[in-house]
C-alpha cells in the first residue's frame, strides 16, 4: 500500500518511524512500484564519500510506472489538459492511453535515429505536450534528457549541449509566451554552430514561421511520428542509471549539470507529490512552472504521472492577455490544486482585484508555493483572495539538487504558518549548523541548513565533475549535505528558509549565479571588472544590481546600460538582465583581493547606515565614493 498520510498524529508517528528505521521506511515506499527486478541493496554510500546509491541492483523503467501501469485501471483518464498561450488557440486533453501511445511512437522515432541507452538528448521547447512526450520517450529508451529552459540564449544552450555531449536536439520552430515570440529554431541553429556532437535535430511545429533548414540534420516531428509504431517495449534500466541532467546555477563557474537517477528519483517524487498535495481521484492539479526547471520535471511530469493524477500543461504567462489569466484557467477547468511561485503572486497582487473576482475559484482545495521565501503579505493575499480563506497553503522548500520537496506542510494534514515551510517530510532530517560547523540544537535558533542523511531523490553527481559535487555539497559540513540556504527553526520546531547564504541569486524564483552574470558583463569592451549582488525587489524577490569599473567613464549612461543589458540577454538570457547598475571607481576589496559583497549588498539595498566595518578594506575610501553615487 502506498503511504498516504492523513492526520497530524499519523505524520508524527510516521516521522518517528522513518527516523528509527530509515532504510525500512524507504524500502517499504519503493516496494509499491513496478520493478522488473527487485533491488539487492536498499541503500549504500554516504555524504562523506559522496557515493550515494539507492535500490542498487533494481531494474525498472520509470515510464512503465508513469504510464503502462495505469493502462488497465485509468487508461481513459485525462493525464494532461493542454492550455495554450492564447486562450482562443487550440486546446486539447490527453488520456493516459494516448500519452502512452505518443511516448511509444516517439521512443521508436528516437531509436530509429540511432539514439540509445545512455545517450544524451537536449530538449529546448515550448511548454506543450510534446515537451513532456520528448522527455518520457527519452526515459523509455534509457536516453538521458537534458531540458533547457526556452528562455535561455543560444550561448547558454550551446554550453549545456557541449557539457553533456548531446547527440540530438529536440526543439520547436518557435514559441509564443505572452505577446513575445521566441524563434527557437533560429536560436538552436546559432547554438549548434558550436555543437559538433549533435547530428539530429527534430523540429516540432508550433508557430509556423519561416525557418532555416539543414538537410540531413533537421527533420519534422510530425513527419517522423506519422509512420512510427505505437508499440514500444521499454528499455530495462538499473535503478542507478541516469534519468536526466538538469543544469542549475551555482555561486561559481559554469552551470552545474545535476544528475538524477531512475529508481531513487521515481520513489522520491512520487512519495512527495502524493503526501504534500493530497490529490484525490477526480482532482485537477495545476503547477504553473515551466518544464525547463526542476519544479516542472518533478511536479508537472513525473510525480503526478506516477500517481495517476490529471495535470495542466500551461504554455502562457500570468498576465497575458490580462492579469486574470491564471484565475480564468482555474475557473475553466475547475482546478482543485494550484501550485505557483511567490513572485507570480506578488505580481498579481498588485493588479486590480476585479481580475480575481471575475472568476469562480470555488473549486480550489489546496494552494502551493515554491522557489523562494514567501512574504506574509503575499501569503495572506493568496490565502484570503485566492483560497477564500479555506484552502491550506503548502510552502514547499526544495532544490534542483534534492529532486523533490523536503520541507513542507502536508496539505490539510499538518499545520501551516505564514512564511514558514514548516516541517520536514518523513525520511528527511534537517540540521542547522553554525559557521564553525557546529550543530545547533534546540528550538528558536538559526543557522545554515544541512540535511543529515541521504534520501532517494538527491542528485548523484554533477555531470562530468564529481569533484565539484563533493566540494559544493559534501565538503562544507563533513557528514552533511549542505543546501546553501540560511534557515530559522522557531520555538515549535518549524522551519523558515531565510534565503541563500552563498553567491546565488533568486530572481523571480529563478536561480542565477552572480559569477555567471559578472562574466557576461565583463565581456563588454568598456568594463574592466564587475560585481553583482541581489537587493530586495517587491515583485521579483531579488533584483540584480551590477557595480562596474569602466575603462572610460561612459559618456552616455543610458546607452551604456542598454548595451550591458543586451549583452547579458545575449549571453545568458533575459532573466539575467541587471535591474540596476552603477559605474564605480573601484570595488570594496579585502587586502587579499576578495570583493566584500556584504558592503555592496547594503549599498544596493539603500541601507547606507548598516554598512558595517570597512577598516579591513584595501581602500575604504572607495565605499564613501560608491555611497555618494548611490545617494
Ligand atoms: C533554491 C533552489 C525547488 C524548485 C524551484 C527552485 C529557494 C526554493 C523555497 C521555499 C524559500 C525556497 C532556496 C533553494 N527556495 N523553495 N519554499 N522557501 N526558499 O529550485 O532553482 O534549485 O533553487 O530556491 O534558496 O536553495 P532551484
Amino acid at each position: 500500500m502506498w503511504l498516504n498520510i492523513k492526520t497530524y498524529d499519523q505524520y508524527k508517528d510516521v516521522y518517528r518511524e522513518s527516523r528509527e528505521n530509515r532504510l525500512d521506511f524507504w524500502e517499504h515506499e519503493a516496494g509499491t512500484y513496478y520493478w522488473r527486478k527487485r533491488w539487492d541493496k536498499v541503500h549504500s554510500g554516504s555524504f562523506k564519500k559522496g557515493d550515494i546509491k539507492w535500490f542498487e541492483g533494481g531494474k525498472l523503467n520509470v515510464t512503465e510506472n508513469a504510464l503502462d501501469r495505469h493502462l488497465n485501471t485509468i487508461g481513459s483518464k485525462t493525464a494532461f489538459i493542454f492550455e495554450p498561450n492564447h486562450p482562443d488557440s487550440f486546446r486539447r486533453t490527453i488520456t493516459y492511453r494516448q500519452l502512452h501511445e505518443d511516448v511509444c511512437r516517439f521512443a521508436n522515432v528516437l531509436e530509429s535515429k540511432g539514439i540509445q541507452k545512455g545517450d544524451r538528448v537536449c530538449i529546448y521547447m515550448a511548454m506543450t505536450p510534446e515537451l513532456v512526450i520528448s522527455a518520457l520517450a527519452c526515459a523509455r529508451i534509457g536516453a538521458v534528457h537534458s531540458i533547457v529552459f526556452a528562455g535561455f540564449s543560444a550561448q547558454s544552450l550551446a554550453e549545456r549541449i557541449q557539457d553533456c555531449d548531446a547527440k540530438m536536439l529536440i526543439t520547436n520552430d518557435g514559441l509564443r509566451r505572452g505577446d513575445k515570440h521566441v524563434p527557437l529554431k533560429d536560436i538552436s541553429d546559432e547554438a549548434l554552430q558550436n555543437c559538433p556532437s549533435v547530428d539530429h535535430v527534430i523540429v516540432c511545429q508550433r508557430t509556423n514561421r519561416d525557418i532555416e533548414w539543414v538537410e540531413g540534420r533537421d527533420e519534422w516531428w510530425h513527419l517522423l511520428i506519422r509512420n512510427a509504431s505505437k508499440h514500444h517495449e521499454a528499455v530495462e534500466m538499473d535503478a542507478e542509471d541516469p534519468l536526466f541532467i538538469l543544469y542549475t546555477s551555482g555561486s561559481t563557474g559554469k552551470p552545474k549539470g545535476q544528475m538524477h537517477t531512475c529508481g531513487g528519483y521515481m520513489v522520491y517524487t512520487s512519495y512527495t507529490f502524493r503526501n504534500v498535495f493530497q490529490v484525490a481521484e477526480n482532482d485537477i492539479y495545476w503547477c504553473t512552472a515551466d518544464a525547463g526547471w526542476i519544479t516542472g520535471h518533478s511536479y508537472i511530469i513525473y510525480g503526478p504521472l506516477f500517481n495517476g493524477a490529471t495535470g495542466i500543461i500551461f504554455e502562457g504567462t500570468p498576465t497575458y492577455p490580462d492579469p486574470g489569466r491564471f484565475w480564468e484557467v482555474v475557473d475553466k477547468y475547475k482546478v482543485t490544486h494550484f501550485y505557483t511561485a511567490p513572485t507570480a503572486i506578488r505580481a498579481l497582487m498588485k493588479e486590480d482585484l476585479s481580475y480575481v473576482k471575475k472568476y469562480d475559484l470555488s473549486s480550489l482545495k489546496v494552494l502551493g508555493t515554491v522557489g523562494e521565501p514567501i512574504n506574509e503579505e503575499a501569503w495572506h493575499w493568496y490565502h484570503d483572495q485566492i483560497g477564500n480563506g479555506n484552502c491550506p497553503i503548502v510552502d514547499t522548500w526544495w532544490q534542483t539538487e534534492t529532486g523533490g520537496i523536503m520541507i513542507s506542510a502536508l496539505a490539510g494534514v499538518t499545520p501551516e504558518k505564514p512564511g514558514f515551510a514548516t516541517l520536514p517530510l518523513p525520511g528527511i532530517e534537517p540540521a542547522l549548523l553554525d559557521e564553525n560547523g557546529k550543530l545547533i540544537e534546540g528550538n528558536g535558533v538559526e543557522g545554515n541548513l544541512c540535511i543529515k542523511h541521504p534520501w532517494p531523490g538527491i542528485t548523484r553527481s554533477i555531470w562530468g565533475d564529481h569533484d565539484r559535487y563533493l566540494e559544493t555539497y559534501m565538503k562544507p559540513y563533513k557528514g552533511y549535505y549542505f543546501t546553501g540556504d540560511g534557515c530559522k527553526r522557531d520555538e515549535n520546531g518549524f522551519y523558515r528558509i531565510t534565503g541563500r547564504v552563498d553567491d546565488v541569486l533568486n530572481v523571480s524564483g529563478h536561480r542565477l549565479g552572480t559569477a555567471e552574470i559578472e562574466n557576461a558583463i565583463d565581456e563588454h569592451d568598456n568594463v574592466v571588472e564587475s560585481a553583482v549582488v541581489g537587493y530586495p525587489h517587491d515583485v521579483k524577490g531579488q533584483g540584480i544590481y551590477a557595480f562596474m569599473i569602466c575603462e572610460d567613464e561612459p559618456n552616455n549612461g543610458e546607452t551604456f546600460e542598454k548595451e550591458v543589458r543586451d549583452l547579458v540577454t545575449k549571453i545568458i538570457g533575459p532573466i539575467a538582465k541587471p535591474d540596476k547598475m552603477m559605474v564605480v571607481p573601484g570595488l570594496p576589496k579585502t587586502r587579499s583581493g576578495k570583493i566584500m559583497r556584504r558592503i555592496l549588498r547594503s549599498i544596493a539595498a539603500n541601507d547606507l547606515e548598516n554598512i558595517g566595518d570597512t577598516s579591513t578594506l584595501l581602500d575604504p575610501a572607495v565605499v564613501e565614493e560608491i555611497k555618494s553615487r548611490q545617494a
Side-chain angles (χ1 to χ4, degrees):
M1 264 285 282
W2 277 6
L3 176 62
N4 210 336
I5 301 168
K6 289 294 174 199
T7 64
Y8 192 22
D9 281 340
Q10 191 191 356
Y11 163 83
K12 291 180 201 159
D13 288 345
V14 174
Y15 193 84
R16 189 173 6 84
E17 282 164 28
S18 75
R19 229 177 133 158
E20 284 160 8
N21 290 306
R22 202 158 44 86
L23 299 189
D24 289 353
F25 173 78
W26 290 119
E27 176 152 49
H28 184 262
E29 181 60 28
T32 53
Y33 299 86
Y34 172 64
W35 298 80
R36 293 216 189 151
K37 176 187 164 286
R38 201 177 161 93
W39 52 91
D40 304 316
K41 195 161 190 208
V42 186
H43 167 65
S44 67
S46 66
F47 289 147
K48 259 198 193 104
K49 292 220 179 102
D51 55 349
I52 295 150
K53 292 195 171 90
W54 286 93
F55 315 117
E56 216 181 337
K59 306 268 187 204
L60 79 163
N61 186 289
V62 298
T63 70
E64 289 187 326
N65 284 280
L67 301 170
D68 303 56
R69 191 174 46 129
H70 299 315
L71 294 181
N72 289 332
T73 47
I74 53 166
S76 57
K77 180 174 176 176
T78 300
F80 287 115
I81 298 168
F82 171 58
E83 175 67 16
N85 179 52
H86 195 283
D88 296 337
S89 300
F90 181 65
R91 64 177 64 110
R92 57 194 152 127
T93 60
I94 303 164
T95 63
Y96 272 90
R97 185 160 297 113
Q98 284 164 334
L99 184 62
H100 177 262
E101 277 185 27
D102 289 344
V103 168
C104 286
R105 277 211 174 84
F106 199 61
N108 284 317
V109 168
L110 293 178
E111 284 181 338
S112 76
K113 296 291 145 200
I115 304 296
Q116 295 172 354
K117 178 171 174 171
D119 289 343
R120 274 79 62 204
V121 172
C122 180
I123 300 174
Y124 182 63
M125 294 180 93
M127 265 299 282
T128 57
E130 284 72 22
L131 192 170
V132 174
I133 291 163
S134 299
L136 292 170
C138 287
R140 191 148 185 106
I141 67 168
V144 181
H145 60 74
S146 165
I147 306 182
V148 176
F149 173 58
F152 278 119
S153 68
Q155 212 165 311
S156 296
L157 174 63
E159 196 177 359
R160 286 159 173 76
I161 291 174
Q162 290 157 359
D163 186 74
C164 70
D165 285 313
K167 275 180 103 171
M168 176 188 270
L169 174 67
I170 309 171
T171 189
N172 294 101
D173 43 359
L175 68 76
R176 287 198 184 80
R177 198 184 285 127
D179 53 14
K180 289 201 185 68
H181 173 260
V182 186
L184 293 181
K185 178 61 164 60
D186 297 356
I187 299 171
S188 299
D189 286 341
E190 192 189 331
L192 291 183
Q193 287 178 358
N194 302 311
C195 300
S197 62
V198 172
D199 18 68
H200 291 285
V201 177
I202 298 182
V203 187
C204 185
Q205 214 162 35
R206 184 69 194 135
T207 51
N208 301 321
R209 291 219 179 180
D210 280 347
I211 51 173
E212 300 281 317
W213 203 255
V214 178
E215 284 308 327
R217 185 195 74 180
D218 301 351
E219 282 178 277
W220 284 112
W221 174 294
H222 59 274
L223 298 181
L224 290 169
I225 208 96
R226 195 179 283 167
N227 299 319
S229 160
K230 62 177 186 185
H231 301 287
H232 182 275
E233 172 79 15
V235 170
E236 187 168 286
M237 306 293 285
D238 284 315
E240 281 296 334
D241 280 336
L243 174 61
F244 66 83
I245 302 168
L246 180 60
Y247 287 86
T248 182
S249 294
S251 48
T252 54
K254 55 177 193 166
K256 300 184 278 218
Q258 301 299 345
M259 192 192 81
H260 285 282
T261 56
C262 298
Y265 180 80
M266 172 181 77
V267 170
Y268 197 67
T269 53
S270 175
Y271 154 73
T272 51
F273 175 80
R274 188 178 336 114
N275 285 289
V276 170
F277 294 105
Q278 304 277 329
V279 171
E281 203 176 321
N282 296 315
D283 285 346
I284 306 288
Y285 162 87
W286 181 18
C287 166
T288 68
D290 190 285
W293 311 111
I294 191 70
T295 309
H297 284 63
S298 301
Y299 299 113
I300 293 177
I301 305 178
Y302 289 106
L305 292 178
F306 292 137
N307 285 281
T310 297
I312 293 180
I313 298 176
F314 178 55
E315 190 185 24
T317 73
T319 50
Y320 178 81
D322 66 47
R325 184 67 162 125
F326 274 179
W327 323 128
E328 182 234 331
V329 175
V330 168
D331 187 355
K332 181 159 55 189
Y333 299 115
K334 302 298 164 212
V335 169
T336 55
H337 291 65
F338 181 71
Y339 187 34
T340 198
T343 187
I345 299 167
R346 288 193 298 263
L348 296 175
M349 211 170 105
K350 286 187 179 297
E351 303 290 344
D352 202 278
L353 203 55
S354 61
Y355 286 115
V356 177
K357 295 291 174 206
K358 224 168 112 182
Y359 300 103
D360 175 9
L361 305 183
S362 63
S363 57
L364 287 171
K365 296 200 269 192
V366 172
L367 302 174
T369 69
V370 58
E372 44 175 330
I374 182 164
N375 47 311
E376 287 197 31
E377 194 193 353
W379 193 97
H380 285 292
W381 185 84
Y382 198 32
H383 185 259
D384 299 345
Q385 303 302 340
I386 304 306
N388 195 24
N390 53 31
C391 298
I393 295 181
V394 290
D395 175 351
T396 62
W397 174 83
W398 57 296
Q399 312 177 294
T400 305
E401 292 88 338
T402 68
I405 297 166
M406 302 282 283
I407 304 181
S408 170
L410 310 183
V413 173
T414 63
E416 58 202 75
K417 180 171 177 181
F420 282 72
T422 71
L423 298 171
L425 266 66
I428 303 302
E429 270 187 69
L432 302 183
L433 279 87
D434 70 14
E435 297 301 321
N436 306 316
K438 210 173 142 268
L439 186 67
I440 305 170
E441 299 193 72
N443 287 339
V445 292
E446 182 167 2
N448 293 330
L449 179 61
C450 296
I451 308 293
K452 251 188 209 163
H453 304 289
W455 64 100
I458 188 178
T459 171
R460 301 297 196 266
S461 192
I462 291 172
W463 190 264
D465 199 349
H466 197 66
D467 283 345
R468 199 169 165 208
Y469 173 83
L470 300 175
E471 282 301 322
T472 314
Y473 309 111
M474 312 306 172
K475 292 252 172 81
Y477 297 102
K478 264 257 142 53
Y480 293 87
Y481 163 82
F482 176 48
T483 66
D485 280 319
C487 181
K488 284 185 176 152
R489 185 166 54 220
D490 77 359
E491 281 62 34
N492 301 313
F494 284 34
Y495 290 86
R496 177 195 180 96
I497 312 302
T498 51
R500 302 287 307 196
V501 295
D502 53 9
D503 292 326
V504 169
L505 304 183
N506 193 326
V507 180
S508 299
H510 299 317
R511 182 164 157 184
L512 296 162
T514 50
E516 247 179 299
I517 306 175
E518 288 160 5
N519 290 341
I521 294 175
D522 294 350
E523 294 281 309
H524 191 286
D525 284 341
N526 194 17
V527 175
V528 180
E529 194 183 0
S530 63
V532 164
V533 296
Y535 69 95
H537 187 289
D538 60 355
V539 172
K540 297 178 171 188
Q542 271 188 311
I544 303 174
Y545 203 129
F547 295 88
M548 298 166 291
I549 304 175
C550 288
E551 205 149 287
D552 306 302
E553 188 81 15
N555 35 31
N556 184 329
E558 259 173 50
T559 315
F560 172 68
E561 291 196 358
K562 181 170 183 311
E563 284 167 10
V564 172
R565 284 201 182 92
D566 289 349
L567 189 64
V568 174
T569 302
K570 184 172 159 267
I571 295 176
I572 306 175
I575 51 173
K577 271 189 305 205
D579 298 279
K580 292 189 183 176
M581 289 178 246
M582 187 194 287
V583 176
V584 293
L587 292 166
K589 288 189 181 170
T590 60
R591 291 201 176 86
S592 61
K594 200 170 170 300
I595 297 173
M596 295 273 281
R597 286 166 195 281
R598 169 179 63 75
I599 294 176
L600 294 176
R601 275 194 290 266
S602 301
I603 295 172
N606 228 333
D607 187 11
L608 302 182
E609 310 303 306
N610 290 312
I611 289 196
D613 183 22
T614 57
S615 61
T616 57
L617 290 181
L618 194 60
D619 178 12
V622 140
V623 176
E624 293 312 312
E625 177 62 28
I626 300 177
K627 271 165 72 174
S628 71
R629 296 198 184 193
Q630 168 75 336

